[in-house]
Amino acid sequence: MNALAARALLAVVFWPSLFFFWCLGPFVFFLLSTTSSQVCPLLERRAQFLAMANATLPMLALQNLIYAIPIICLMLWNRIVPEPARAKRILTCIKLFLASAVIGAVWEYGSSLICDGYGQPFFSSAWGMTSYLPMVNLVLNIPLYVLAFSLGRAFSMREDDPVQDQGGTLP
């Protein structure tokens, strides 16, 4: 497979994953990775709250793996078409993504632990502070989205000469 075909294949994976997973995914995954509001009033003991919050951990791990697909595409694109300036921007993307993933996981785990306020007597009030983490996550995600979009656009644009691909002159 030549480099152009590999770049096109990565673009087919990158763009849908960027838009569907990063733009629509947070709404779906938040609902799936937190304790439901119907279950919360039924929980009576600290161990029950803890068990429900710990049950969300596999979904949080899966969520972060799925969110990593655009970052993996950027890293693969950089292996196909290496460029030092883009490599530094990809490293910045990775750092922003890791910080965002950790903050998002703490927020969703804390939301499950507190369970809409029902678990507050059982746990430290610090877990209640996780309700402010979406604002921090937004501050990290805006530059991450812009950087990933611009890198994806730069990598998926055709940079080679079309005359060279056809083996001669244009018709």
Side-chain angles (χ1 to χ4, degrees):
M1 179 183 320
N2 66 14
L4 185 60
R7 287 173 59 192
L9 183 62
L10 284 171
V12 168
V13 173
F14 176 80
W15 290 110
S17 66
L18 183 72
F19 289 113
F20 290 115
F21 296 149
W22 282 16
C23 296
L24 301 176
F27 303 110
V28 174
F29 280 121
F30 180 71
L31 294 175
L32 294 174
S33 63
T34 57
T35 304
S36 73
S37 59
Q38 291 86 12
V39 173
C40 289
L42 303 175
L43 302 176
E44 296 176 355
R45 294 186 320 273
R46 176 185 169 94
Q48 290 175 317
F49 278 96
L50 207 51
M52 291 304 294
N54 288 341
T56 66
L57 292 176
M59 181 58 73
L60 291 173
L62 176 66
Q63 174 183 341
N64 285 329
L65 285 175
I66 290 173
Y67 285 166
I69 291 172
I71 301 295
I72 293 168
C73 287
L74 290 174
M75 291 172 15
L76 291 173
W77 262 327
N78 195 49
R79 301 264 308 169
I80 294 169
V81 185
E83 189 175 313
R86 286 185 188 159
K88 289 178 183 177
R89 292 174 66 198
I90 291 172
L91 186 59
T92 302
C93 252
I94 292 169
K95 290 176 184 178
L96 286 170
F97 174 78
L98 289 175
S100 178
V102 168
I103 289 171
V106 169
W107 167 52
E108 291 178 21
Y109 184 79
S111 296
S112 291
L113 200 58
I114 297 303
C115 204
D116 299 329
Y118 292 103
Q120 286 185 7
F122 297 119
F123 301 100
S124 166
S125 59
W127 283 108
M129 298 297 285
T130 60
S131 62
Y132 295 106
L133 289 178
M135 290 180 276
V136 175
N137 221 358
L138 187 65
V139 168
L140 291 173
N141 280 335
I142 289 174
L144 174 62
Y145 290 0
V146 169
L147 191 57
F149 183 84
S150 67
L151 283 168
R153 185 170 174 262
F155 276 124
S156 60
M157 298 290 288
R158 189 175 176 135
E159 295 173 353
D160 53 348
D161 186 13
V163 174
Q164 197 176 33
D165 280 347
Q166 293 179 356
T169 61
L170 286 173

